[in-house]
Amino acid sequence: MARVPFHADQALSIGELADATGLSVHTLRWYESRGLFPRDVPRTSGGRRSYGPETVGWLTLITRLRESGMPVAEMAKYSALVREGEGNESERLALMEAHAAALDDQIHALVACRDVIGGKVDAYRAALIARGVLAS
């Protein structure tokens, strides 16, 4: 996910974080407004957001959760649990296990869809080969 190299001890501006993650500044602000960061975003003395380099790893996780269909409300719940600190790992585990199970269901459904479509591809290919329109 990281696109722009940065130093492990370097604070990142919102623009630098956007460059490093490939997310837009607008998306980063939206994520913050929805409580998707594991802690409050620190500000410089001038009021600008200042992100630690660990934020890139966190955003990789959040992006994968979103791409895999986790609702924003569940992502916010997970982020809140992380923000609370130790002692709620069983709740975090349950949330991740539920999402993994939902993904497994999706994967199985997609494989079934692919099998049906693959059958049609095979049938059309065989018909075209039989008619000499397509080489075998």
Side-chain angles (χ1 to χ4, degrees):
M1 176 180 227
R3 295 179 171 194
V4 176
F6 57 91
H7 300 287
D9 58 349
Q10 171 186 345
L12 303 170
S13 70
I14 194 166
E16 291 167 334
L17 184 61
D19 288 343
T21 62
L23 298 170
S24 70
V25 167
H26 174 78
T27 297
L28 294 171
R29 288 183 180 137
W30 189 83
Y31 280 6
E32 182 182 354
S33 75
R34 296 297 186 263
L36 299 183
F37 285 93
R39 61 193 57 83
D40 291 338
V41 176
R43 305 284 178 141
T44 66
S45 59
R48 295 185 182 268
R49 291 168 176 87
S50 178
Y51 300 91
E54 73 282 353
T55 307
V56 174
W58 177 259
L59 289 171
T60 299
L61 170 63
I62 291 299
T63 298
R64 293 293 179 241
L65 293 175
R66 188 74 191 121
E67 287 174 348
S68 64
M70 181 179 275
V72 173
E74 288 295 299
M75 293 166 49
K77 182 178 178 180
Y78 178 72
S79 298
L81 290 169
V82 171
R83 197 175 304 115
E84 288 174 12
E86 292 181 11
N88 60 24
E89 289 82 2
S90 62
E91 293 172 75
R92 295 184 214 180
L93 175 61
L95 198 148
M96 288 296 169
E97 285 178 335
H99 187 61
L103 284 176
D104 288 341
D105 291 346
Q106 267 187 291
I107 290 167
H108 292 307
L110 286 171
V111 168
C113 292
R114 179 66 175 100
D115 289 346
V116 169
I117 293 166
K120 284 296 182 190
V121 167
D122 292 344
Y124 291 131
R125 180 168 282 123
L128 291 170
I129 289 170
R131 292 198 331 235
V133 175
L134 190 64
S136 56

